[in-house]
C-alpha cells in the first residue's frame, strides 16, 4: 500500500501557483483578477473537468442554508462552483498541501472565502465533527485510497441522517489494469481501482443506499473527441488541469488514461447515494 508521501508527491510540484499564473497570462487573463471562467480549464482536475462538475450539480438539490463537503477538493474549482451556483457553504479537504494553498488563494481572489473553506487533511480522518454536513461529493479521489470502506465510513460519519453523497469514481474495468503513469498515479503501487460491483458493495456496507449509478464512458469519450477537435483546429483543450499539475508527465499520463478508457480498463462511474436514517 502506498503512503501519503507517495500520493502527495505525485501531485506536488512546488511551483503550482506560478505555473497557473503563467498559464493565465498566456490565455490573456490577469492572474491577480481571474474569473471563474478563466480558471475553469485548470481548477476542475477530474475527468471531463467543468462539464462533469456541472452534470453532478444538476443532479443535486442544495439549499442556500446547506453546508456541504468536498472530499479531495484539489484546487477548489468544484467547491467554488457549488458555492456560486447554490449560494451554500462548502468545506473542502485535501491531502496535498500545495493544492490547499492554491485553492485558498484562488478562493480569496474570487471573493468566496466567506462561503468556501479548505482544510489540509486526510479523507480517512477528516477534521470535522459528526453529522456536520447536509451533503458531500467526491470527484476522482478514491483511486488513491486502498481502503474504500474506511473512506465511505468516514464520509458517513460527517453526514447528517438522510444526507446525500455524490461520487464520481474511476472504476476497474474488465479490460485489465491501466498502463502507468496516469493522472492519478505514477505506478500501480498508488493506484487502487475497485470494480462497479465492489463500489456498490462497499457503499452499502458503509451505510449508504444507492439511488442512481451511471456509466459515464460515452460522455468521457465524447468529451475527449471534442477536445481533440479543438486542438486540431488550432485551439487549446477545454481541460488543461493535467498539464498544469503534471508538467512533462502529463502527455504520457493523459495518453494512458485515454487508452484505458477506450479499452475498458478504467470505467468512469457516477453514483448518487443517501445516508440511511438510523
Amino acid at each position: 500500500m502506498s503512503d501519503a508521501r507517495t500520493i502527495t508527491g505525485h501531485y506536488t510540484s512546488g511551483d503550482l501557483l506560478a505555473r497557473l499564473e503563467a498559464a493565465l497570462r498566456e490565455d490573456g487573463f490577469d492572474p491577480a483578477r481571474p474569473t471563474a471562467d478563466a480558471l475553469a480549464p485548470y481548477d476542475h482536475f477530474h475527468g471531463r473537468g467543468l462539464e462533469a462538475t456541472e452534470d453532478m450539480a444538476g443532479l443535486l438539490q442544495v439549499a442556500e442554508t446547506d453546508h456541504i463537503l468536498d472530499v479531495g477538493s484539489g484546487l477548489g474549482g468544484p467547491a467554488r462552483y457549488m458555492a456560486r451556483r447554490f449560494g451554500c457553504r462548502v468545506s473542502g479537504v485535501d491531502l496535498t498541501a500545495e493544492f490547499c494553498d492554491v485553492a485558498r488563494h484562488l478562493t480569496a481572489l474570487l471573493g468566496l472565502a466567506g462561503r468556501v473553506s479548505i482544510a489540509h487533511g486526510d479523507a480517512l480522518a477528516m477534521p470535522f465533527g459528526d453529522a456536520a454536513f447536509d451533503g458531500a461529493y467526491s470527484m476522482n479521489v478514491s483511486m488513491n485510497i486502498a481502503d474504500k470502506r474506511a473512506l465511505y465510513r468516514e464520509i458517513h460519519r460527517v453526514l447528517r441522517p438522510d444526507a446525500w453523497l455524490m461520487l464520481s469514481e474511476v472504476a476497474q474495468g474488465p479490460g485489465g489494469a491501466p498502463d502507468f503513469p496516469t493522472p492519478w498515479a505514477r505506478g500501480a503501487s498508488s493506484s487502487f481501482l475497485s470494480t462497479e460491483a465492489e463500489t456498490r458493495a462497499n457503499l452499502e456496507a458503509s451505510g449508504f443506499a444507492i439511488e442512481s449509478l451511471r456509466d459515464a464512458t460515452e460522455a468521457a469519450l465524447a468529451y475527449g473527441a471534442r477536445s481533440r477537435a479543438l486542438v486540431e483546429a488550432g485551439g487549446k483543450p477545454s481541460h488543461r488541469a493535467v498539464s498544469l499539475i503534471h508538467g512533462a508527465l502529463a502527455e504520457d499520463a493523459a495518453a494512458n488514461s485515454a487508452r484505458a478508457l477506450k479499452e475498458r480498463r478504467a470505467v468512469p462511474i457516477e453514483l448518487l447515494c443517501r445516508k440511511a436514517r438510523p
Side-chain angles (χ1 to χ4, degrees):
M1 176 175 174
S2 181
D3 61 18
R5 286 178 296 180
T6 302
I7 300 298
T8 58
H10 178 63
Y11 297 111
T12 301
S13 66
D15 61 351
L16 180 58
L17 180 59
R19 286 160 58 176
L20 174 57
E21 290 175 340
L24 290 170
R25 289 190 195 96
E26 185 177 318
D27 293 342
F29 299 105
D30 180 355
R33 296 176 180 82
T35 64
D37 288 343
L39 290 172
Y42 304 103
D43 66 357
H44 295 255
F45 181 35
H46 48 271
R48 294 196 297 127
L50 176 61
E51 178 182 291
T53 306
E54 292 172 333
D55 285 353
M56 175 191 73
L59 297 174
L60 304 174
Q61 293 183 343
V62 182
E64 288 186 6
T65 54
D66 284 350
H67 186 191
I68 64 176
L69 172 65
D70 183 332
V71 182
S73 47
L75 302 188
R80 291 186 291 272
Y81 175 88
M82 298 290 278
R84 290 193 313 273
R85 176 163 176 165
F86 296 112
C88 61
R89 286 191 299 142
V90 185
S91 291
V93 61
D94 201 281
L95 188 64
T96 302
E98 187 174 29
F99 281 3
C100 295
D101 291 341
V102 174
R104 295 186 194 109
H105 175 76
L106 298 177
T107 299
L109 289 181
L110 291 178
L112 288 168
R115 279 191 280 146
V116 176
S117 61
I118 305 294
H120 177 220
D122 190 334
L124 301 184
M126 291 187 282
F128 307 116
D130 295 351
F133 297 99
D134 300 290
Y137 63 90
S138 185
M139 306 190 77
N140 289 26
V141 171
S142 73
M143 304 95 74
N144 290 134
I145 298 175
D147 192 344
K148 302 291 193 291
R149 291 196 184 185
L151 170 64
Y152 301 147
R153 285 195 300 267
E154 180 66 355
I155 297 173
H156 187 276
R157 178 186 68 80
V158 302
L159 288 178
R160 296 186 179 117
D162 205 38
W164 53 266
L165 168 62
M166 185 74 205
L167 296 174
S168 294
E169 306 267 358
V170 177
Q172 176 62 58
D179 296 323
F180 294 96
T182 64
W184 66 87
R186 276 176 167 77
S189 65
S190 52
S191 177
F192 308 101
L193 304 187
S194 295
T195 65
E196 178 184 315
E198 290 167 342
T199 301
R200 281 181 172 275
N202 286 331
L203 283 163
E204 290 169 351
S206 302
F208 288 101
I210 298 171
E211 296 187 346
S212 67
L213 188 153
R214 179 174 84 121
D215 181 330
T217 300
E218 288 189 12
L221 290 171
Y223 185 89
R226 292 195 301 273
S227 294
R228 287 191 297 275
L230 280 173
V231 173
E232 289 168 1
K236 293 182 178 182
S238 52
H239 185 21
R240 305 194 279 278
V242 175
S243 295
L244 171 71
I245 290 166
H246 288 314
L249 188 75
E251 185 175 354
D252 286 344
N256 288 337
S257 181
R259 185 165 55 253
L261 180 69
K262 184 178 180 180
E263 296 176 356
R264 300 287 287 175
R265 302 199 222 176
V267 179
I269 57 174
E270 300 167 354
L271 305 96
L272 179 59
C273 312
R274 185 79 54 180
K275 176 178 176 175
R277 289 186 176 274

